[in-house]
Each structure stands twice: as structure tokens, then as C-alpha cells.
Amino acid sequence: MGSDVTAPVTVESINPKVLKCEYAVRGEIVTHAQRLQQQLQTNPSSLPFDEIIYCNIGNPQSLGQQPITFFREVLALSDHPALLEKPETSILFSSDSIARAQQILSSIPGKATGAYSHSQGIKGLRDAIAEGIAARDGFPANADDIFLTDGASPGVHNMMQLLLRSESDGILCPIPQYPLYSASIALHGGTLVPYYLDEATGWGLEISELKKQLEDARSKGITVRALVVINPGNPTGQVLAEENQKQIVEFCKNEGLVLLADEVYQENIYVDDKKFNSFKKIARSMGYGEEDLPLVSYQSISKGYYGECGKRGGYMEVTGFSSSVREQIYKVASVNLCSNISGQILASLVMNPPKPGDASYESYVAERDGILKSLARRAKALEDALNSLEGVTCNKAEGAMYLFPQVRLPEKAIEAAKEAKKAPDAFYALSLLESTGVVVVPGSGFGQVPGTYHFRCTILPQEDKIPAIISRLTAFHESFLNKYRD
């Protein structure tokens, strides 16, 4: 009975945009890693390693990074205001975390962090974020331009939903890119227009490449709506020079493009000769005001030195759009009611941390600088190790949380990958996982110049784990090359 009845939902009958959408950082290799982890739990001696080391995603606290004390104290007091009435609270919590929690609660109707907020986020928290942006950039910021979001990702989806009307609308995206962008463009039915970063110049962004790809897309009838720039870069780790940013702003201005600035790694800078400048700061310093350039800037509490991925907080600052378009952005935000309040609070703290003279300032600076300096050391150790491997080259990690080495694979390995019906770099990454327990993401998940092969590896495992990762990776790479050497 019923054997000839078609199932109401099949892979063939679901939305084809979902089928086109891919997200490599939690793809096939990670799923296999999770199966191996379960195998280790039930049969610890069944594999040639004793643990899975997840280097696939920027998830700092899952790999042992501790949260910033001040941030968590404020969050605890805000979520449980009754603590503020207890005498022992002044012993257990710093005076400035108590004062900040009281200030935050005064801006929340009913002091209820379990209630919905305004769809853009709590006004007092948006005020604090605007103050932080203004202090960072040296130019005014307006709380009405801030949309608080559950991490940066919903803000990206919001803008793709706004801009993409059909496949004939395109978005210029860097290659390699963070696959949120390709996935979001696919889900919203648009076309990704790639521009290639130059690996030979440290993943440089050339304006000539942008112009070439824009003209090519337009010749195919694609209306290019926006340019995505990720600075510092993911997965590539480069930090844009100020002059390059000015060229990008000028390009968007001249070509009538929305500039979508992914700036979630703005605190993650590891070189002395580079610093982060927001695209809004660059545009304002060039004399461009609100009416001159539509610009959306993204920030997240998941990255930086804070690493509060699971709290899902972030914001987008939306400038340069007409009031009628802004109403539509607000309408879409309203459909989701509001972002979660813990994330909203943390976003305000990230942009307004303790100041000199505050009770928590010295301990906060020690925690922040300890994390960032450790990340810089880890990046250098892994970079040096990768560059020491035969056939591997790795550009310097100037910022962000990743290395993106190129691996020159032997022809026999490429043929073996074809037989296994895998992309060659996915074949390499899968072999690495099964031999060592180290999880990386193949470069094919981010996009790369055809004929080149890469993988993305986070720098996030704690420092005492780095030597083990290096030794496992080195031994694996040597045995892999020996097995498939031409």
C-alpha cells in the first residue's frame, strides 16, 4: 500500500536555490570528523589519533579561549538583575561591571532581557555602539543607522534579499571568499560575480581586476548591484592598505555600486606595519557624505579577541540609502522581531569596552592583549611550518584567524581524487583528517584560481596544541607526497 505514492518532499522537488547553496566550513569533511569523534568515544584505540582538532571554523571558545571577564560580568548582572540587590555582588563583581549593567538595564523597558526589543535593537545599546564607531573612526555615527543582528550573517542575508531581484542581478565577491556570500547569493537567487585576489602579492585587491570582472558581467546582461570587501580577509588574512581602500571607495562611487564591508576581524591585526581602517572612515576622509555612497558595514562579537560565537551578536551600520529604502530594510528586520538581547548587550560592550581609569581596565587590557599576542604567535608558528613543507607556500597572516596555504599536488594525487570523485584539495583534506584528526577546509569551498589547490586552517587551537598540529601535519604531508609522488 502506498508504494507508488510520490513523497510530498524530495530533493528534486525542493527549492533549487537551496540545492545550489553550499557552505564548506561545515560541509562533508566536518560531518565525517564528527563521525570519527563518535568512533573515538566508543572505541578510543580504533583510529591512528586520540582526538579531533577542529581547525575548520573561527570558533575560539570551542578551542579553549576564555571569554573576557568584564563582558561576562555585565551580561550576568543584566540577565539576573536581582544580583544587583545582593550585598555580596560588590565583592564578586567589579564596580564598573555593576555600573555598566545598571546603565544597560535602565535602557531596557522593564529591565527585562527576556522581552522583545525594538526591531533594530535597544536604543541605548545602539547609542553606545554609535559612540564606539565615532571614537574608532573620528567621524560621527548615528544610532538610527545601526541594525543589531544575530551575528553578521543575518545582516548579509538582509542586504542580499534587498538587492537581488533575479539571476540577472549580481554581486562582486572576492575569490577566495567566505562561503556565506556565495551561499547567500544562491539562496536569494542572484549571481556571484567573482573577482580574484592576487596570491602573488599577498592576496592583493587590484582595481583593474574589479573593472575587468564588472565589464564582463555587464556584457552578459548582469546588473551588478554591490561589491563585497572582506577586510581583514577571510580566508586569506590580508589587511588592506589605506590607499587601496580609497581606490575601492572611488570605484564604487564611479560605478554606482553598494559597498558591503565585512569588517568582523577589525581587532585581529598581527603586523606592525598595517592597521584597520573602516570603509566608512575612508569614505568620510575622502569627503564623501551620506548622500554620496551607499555603504553597509558589518561587525560581529564572534571574532576579534572576544570570540562570543554562540551568543550571536553583531550589527550592520547602514548609510547612504534613501529614507524609503531604509523603511524596507526596517520592515525586513521587523519580520524577525529582534535579535537576541544577550548578543545586543555584548555588541555594545565590544564597541565600548572599559576605559582607562575604570576598575576593570587593567585586567581587561591584560586579557585582550594576551589573546591577540597569542594569536599572532600561533599564526607565525603555523605559517613557518607550512612554508617548510615541500610544495607548500603560505602568505603571511596579517589579520583575521586563518592561513590559506597553496598545496602543489602531484598528478597521481589529482588522478586519485578524480577516481574518488573528490576535488583534489578535498581529497587532501579528507586524507589529512583520516590520518591525523586535524580538520581543515579545502580551498575549493572558498573559490580559487582554477588549477590551484589550497586549504584553510584556523590559528585558534591553544598554543600548547600547535606543536602537535605541526608535527601531525608535517608527517602526513611527507607520507602523502611519497605515496603519490610522480
Side-chain angles (χ1 to χ4, degrees):
M1 267 181 71
S3 60
D4 58 345
V5 177
T6 303
V9 181
T10 65
V11 171
E12 291 74 26
S13 69
I14 64 173
N15 186 339
K17 294 172 188 172
V18 174
L19 294 177
K20 279 181 70 176
C21 166
E22 293 182 359
Y23 190 65
V25 297
R26 293 202 175 185
E28 173 198 8
I29 288 169
V30 181
T31 302
H32 188 45
Q34 290 163 343
R35 283 196 294 267
L36 294 178
Q37 188 167 23
Q38 289 177 341
Q39 184 177 330
L40 280 175
Q41 288 169 350
T42 55
N43 191 354
S45 60
S46 63
L47 294 169
F49 46 84
D50 57 5
E51 66 174 329
I52 302 289
I53 302 177
Y54 288 96
C55 297
N56 62 299
I57 196 166
N59 194 13
Q61 292 185 26
S62 75
L63 293 168
Q65 181 174 307
Q66 295 304 300
I68 299 296
T69 302
F70 174 79
F71 294 171
R72 285 300 184 89
E73 285 191 359
V74 174
L75 194 60
L77 293 168
S78 300
D79 270 340
H80 193 30
L83 290 173
L84 293 166
E85 309 302 322
K86 297 185 181 295
E88 57 267 35
T89 296
S90 62
I91 300 169
L92 295 170
F93 292 81
S94 63
S95 59
D96 55 336
S97 67
I98 292 170
R100 186 70 71 90
Q102 289 170 330
Q103 179 189 355
I104 287 169
L105 287 167
S106 71
S107 70
I108 301 175
K111 299 183 177 181
T113 60
Y116 291 133
S117 75
H118 186 282
S119 293
Q120 278 184 245
I122 295 161
K123 174 65 162 60
L125 302 183
R126 288 187 283 123
D127 285 333
I129 290 168
E131 287 170 20
I133 293 170
R136 181 195 67 192
D137 293 346
F139 291 95
N142 188 333
D144 291 338
D145 295 336
I146 307 295
F147 288 74
L148 286 161
T149 52
D150 289 329
S153 301
V156 171
H157 282 290
N158 186 306
M159 293 312 301
M160 296 304 176
Q161 202 166 21
L162 184 88
L163 294 170
L164 296 172
R165 299 162 295 184
S166 71
E167 285 189 355
S168 61
D169 282 336
I171 306 288
L172 273 161
C173 278
I175 297 296
Q177 52 98 32
Y178 175 44
L180 164 67
Y181 291 97
S182 53
S184 182
I185 291 166
L187 280 174
H188 296 292
T191 295
L192 186 149
V193 179
Y195 66 89
Y196 287 92
L197 302 175
D198 185 1
E199 187 169 8
T201 60
W203 300 112
L205 195 167
E206 302 294 335
I207 298 300
S208 58
E209 169 70 3
L210 288 179
K211 288 178 177 172
K212 174 187 161 193
Q213 299 298 346
L214 177 64
E215 288 166 10
D216 181 60
R218 286 174 173 168
S219 73
K220 295 173 181 172
I222 295 169
T223 302
V224 179
R225 308 297 308 276
L227 167 68
V228 171
V229 181
I230 307 173
N231 181 46
N234 175 10
T236 45
Q238 84 284 12
V239 179
L240 295 178
E242 189 173 339
E243 190 54 41
N244 197 191
Q245 289 185 267
K246 288 179 178 177
Q247 294 171 341
I248 293 163
V249 167
E250 201 66 48
F251 175 78
C252 289
K253 167 68 177 162
N254 293 339
E255 299 294 346
L257 301 177
V258 178
L259 177 51
L260 302 176
D262 182 331
E263 299 176 338
V264 304
Y265 295 100
Q266 59 192 255
E267 302 277 3
N268 298 101
I269 310 289
Y270 309 126
V271 290
D272 294 332
D273 61 338
K274 294 280 185 79
K275 69 171 190 170
F276 170 78
N277 290 297
S278 75
F279 270 98
K280 186 182 163 204
K281 175 184 176 180
I282 295 295
R284 297 295 177 264
S285 71
M286 295 170 70
Y288 291 132
E290 280 261 355
E291 67 285 353
D292 297 310
L293 180 75
L295 169 64
V296 184
S297 307
Y298 297 102
Q299 168 64 315
S300 170
I301 66 169
S302 300
K303 309 306 177 187
Y305 55 87
Y306 9 94
E308 294 280 11
C309 301
K311 298 298 183 186
R312 306 309 299 133
Y315 68 80
M316 60 179 184
E317 184 185 17
V318 179
T319 58
F321 292 83
S322 69
S323 58
S324 54
V325 171
R326 288 280 293 270
E327 285 173 12
Q328 300 306 309
I329 298 171
Y330 176 74
K331 179 175 72 178
V332 172
S334 299
V335 170
N336 294 318
L337 297 172
C338 70
S339 61
N340 83 84
I341 306 302
S342 292
Q344 291 190 30
I345 291 169
L346 282 166
S348 77
L349 298 176
V350 159
M351 297 306 292
N352 258 294
K355 305 291 191 294
D358 291 348
S360 294
Y361 180 71
E362 288 185 9
S363 61
Y364 156 75
V365 168
E367 290 177 354
R368 179 196 67 191
D369 292 355
I371 291 167
L372 291 173
K373 286 175 181 175
S374 175
L375 287 170
R377 290 192 298 270
R378 287 177 250 174
K380 184 71 169 69
L382 284 165
E383 174 196 322
D384 289 347
L386 287 163
N387 279 317
S388 74
L389 300 179
E390 180 186 349
V392 176
T393 53
C394 184
N395 280 325
K396 188 177 187 65
E398 297 177 338
M401 294 178 171
Y402 316 99
L403 294 164
F404 197 65
Q406 182 176 160
V407 184
R408 288 162 189 83
L409 296 174
E411 197 57 42
K412 285 182 182 174
I414 294 169
E415 287 302 317
K418 284 180 185 170
E419 286 178 23
K421 296 187 171 140
K422 305 280 182 198
D425 47 14
F427 180 75
Y428 179 92
L430 197 59
S431 301
L432 173 66
L433 167 63
E434 292 177 340
S435 299
T436 68
V438 175
V439 187
V440 298
V441 188
S444 46
F446 301 89
Q448 55 199 344
V449 172
T452 66
Y453 306 108
H454 300 77
F455 63 84
R456 189 187 79 167
C457 177
T458 73
I459 61 171
L460 294 174
Q462 292 299 290
E463 278 194 81
D464 61 357
K465 297 268 191 192
I466 298 297
I469 293 171
I470 290 171
S471 63
R472 290 187 196 189
L473 181 58
T474 301
F476 162 77
H477 186 75
E478 288 174 1
S479 68
F480 184 90
L481 288 188
N482 289 334
K483 180 177 180 180
Y484 294 106
R485 198 175 293 280
D486 295 330

